[in-house]
Amino acid sequence: MHYINELREGERLIEHYFCKKKESRESKAGKTFFSLKLADKTGMIDTKIWEITNDIGQFDEGDIVKIDGVVSSYNGEPQLKVTKLRKSREGEYELSDFIPSTEKDVGEMFGKITSLINNVENQFIKKLLQSIFTNEERVDAFKKHSAAMHLHHAFMGGLLEHTLSVAETCMFLGARYKYVDMDLLLAGALLHDIGKIHELSALPQNEYTDDGQMLGHIIIGLEIVGAEIAKIEKFPRETASLIKHCIIAHHGEYEFGSPKIPATPEAMIIHFADNIDAKLTTFAEIYDKDTTPGKWTAFQKSLGRYIRKPQ
């Protein structure tokens, strides 16, 4: 397998890739061409088909395709120019080549989440967490989903990995400060991104769903939590509001899409733990992929800066 992160300018390849995007465009001269985004588990590459001939078979977004092309460069970024393409046949490829996955043990990570829930003292919060994290269909999606499309944890198991990291960081920080309700803090940490199981489609597509586009994971998460709370008899209204506040305030600032800014110690800790994990995981993912010579990476648009490589 010629993985995308290993491709070099001038290289000719015949390989299978996942077609993440397909657009039909028109050149200035009025000629139709295809602009594609091809992907595997290591990344994505801009792809052009300038000549739509009989060598270009029928295919759609979401297909695995076999291509014959050459790696070039455009504006300093790698680009693939394809001359032949057809839909891949079953048995010609391994699906695992197109689905990036966590390097950590999924069962072990989920076991840690279960252990954290078992230690909750507030029986209403415990019932809520158990109801959410014992639903088989929801748990299956939670274990498999990514936490983002591109920026961080954009791989199978990413949502689980990110959620556990945030929860563990919250437990570490919360124990060091006064006035922090540890059960409430854990609930908010475990539930802050639960809406992503419906915001994003399953891998390898990993695209926004209709609800993801129209509602977003914060609103979807509130709906999931609200529905489960409604099933628990005499669940305290104030506790429900405090948990929901942790979810809607976890982006921290209005400018970052947060409907509310943190107004409790628990919401503040969750915001910072979420931000720390997202940013430092982004650093690590950049280090894994960057091939720029020297001590500094290329300019990172997602972070708005160059970053220094680890020594």
Side-chain angles (χ1 to χ4, degrees):
M1 178 74 183
H2 293 80
Y3 290 118
I4 286 172
N5 67 340
E6 299 171 344
L7 299 182
R8 298 293 177 262
E9 187 174 355
E11 181 179 8
R12 192 232 169 148
L13 66 151
I14 298 174
E15 193 53 90
H16 300 270
Y17 294 109
F18 174 70
C19 181
K20 194 171 181 69
K21 280 198 178 297
K22 174 188 177 183
E23 294 180 342
S24 179
R25 297 183 180 178
E26 198 171 275
S27 69
K28 292 180 180 179
K31 191 173 184 179
T32 300
F33 68 95
F34 286 142
S35 179
L36 314 177
K37 295 288 185 183
L38 296 184
D40 63 20
K41 68 179 182 180
T42 69
M44 189 160 53
I45 187 167
D46 184 46
T47 303
K48 295 291 187 289
I49 302 176
W50 297 108
E51 300 291 334
I52 303 177
T53 66
N54 291 334
D55 289 325
I56 306 300
Q58 293 292 321
F59 70 102
D60 296 303
E61 283 185 7
D63 287 339
I64 307 293
V65 294
K66 184 177 183 180
I67 63 97
D68 184 340
V70 176
V71 182
S72 61
S73 179
Y74 180 73
N75 287 339
E77 297 291 332
Q79 187 179 88
L80 194 55
K81 293 183 178 180
V82 168
T83 54
K84 295 181 181 179
L85 181 149
R86 67 166 170 80
K87 189 174 177 178
S88 301
R89 302 184 184 100
E90 205 170 316
E92 289 186 322
Y93 58 88
E94 294 290 337
L95 189 59
S96 59
D97 285 330
F98 310 100
I99 302 180
S101 300
T102 178
E103 296 176 356
K104 300 178 180 179
D105 186 282
V106 169
E108 182 180 335
M109 286 192 291
F110 193 74
K112 288 180 179 179
I113 284 180
T114 300
S115 179
L116 287 169
I117 293 172
N118 288 339
N119 290 326
V120 171
E121 295 180 359
N122 183 305
Q123 292 307 302
F124 288 104
I125 292 178
K126 191 171 189 175
K127 283 182 181 179
L128 171 63
L129 294 176
Q130 287 175 335
S131 69
I132 289 177
F133 290 100
T134 57
N135 178 290
E136 289 187 15
E137 184 177 349
R138 184 180 294 132
V139 168
D140 185 60
F142 179 70
K143 288 179 177 178
K144 292 179 179 178
H145 254 69
S146 72
M149 280 182 62
H150 305 298
L151 296 181
H152 68 92
H153 298 92
F155 48 79
M156 184 176 286
L159 179 58
L160 169 58
E161 184 178 315
H162 171 63
T163 300
L164 177 61
S165 180
V166 170
E168 290 180 332
T169 301
C170 284
M171 293 297 96
F172 174 82
L173 292 173
R176 281 152 178 77
Y177 297 96
K178 294 169 63 177
Y179 307 116
V180 176
D181 184 322
M182 297 299 286
D183 288 346
L184 176 61
L185 178 61
L186 178 64
L190 292 180
L191 298 173
H192 80 283
D193 271 350
I194 194 68
K196 288 192 174 181
I197 62 175
H198 298 307
E199 179 183 49
L200 298 169
S201 60
L203 287 150
Q205 285 85 358
N206 200 37
E207 299 279 358
Y208 283 115
T209 62
D210 282 351
D211 279 353
Q213 290 282 18
M214 294 187 288
L215 303 177
H217 71 279
I218 290 176
I219 300 301
I220 296 170
L222 284 178
E223 291 181 340
I224 292 172
V225 171
E228 293 299 329
I229 285 174
K231 299 175 185 177
I232 302 172
E233 189 176 356
K234 296 182 180 179
F235 196 101
R237 182 177 180 83
E238 184 177 37
T239 303
S241 294
L242 287 167
I243 292 171
K244 291 176 181 178
H245 177 70
C246 289
I247 295 172
I248 66 173
H250 79 266
H251 282 188
E253 302 289 344
Y254 297 127
E255 62 196 275
F256 299 136
S258 198
K260 289 290 183 180
I261 55 177
T264 65
E266 297 81 15
M268 185 66 78
I269 291 171
I270 291 165
H271 162 58
F272 283 121
D274 177 55
N275 200 30
I276 287 169
D277 191 59
K279 291 294 192 299
L280 292 184
T281 300
T282 299
F283 268 62
E285 291 174 357
I286 289 168
Y287 291 147
D288 288 341
K289 296 176 183 178
D290 189 81
T291 57
T292 308
K295 294 182 178 180
W296 293 81
T297 70
F299 185 79
Q300 303 300 319
K301 294 179 182 178
S302 63
L303 297 172
R305 72 201 74 180
Y306 298 91
I307 59 173
R308 196 173 191 274
K309 298 178 183 179
Q311 301 303 301

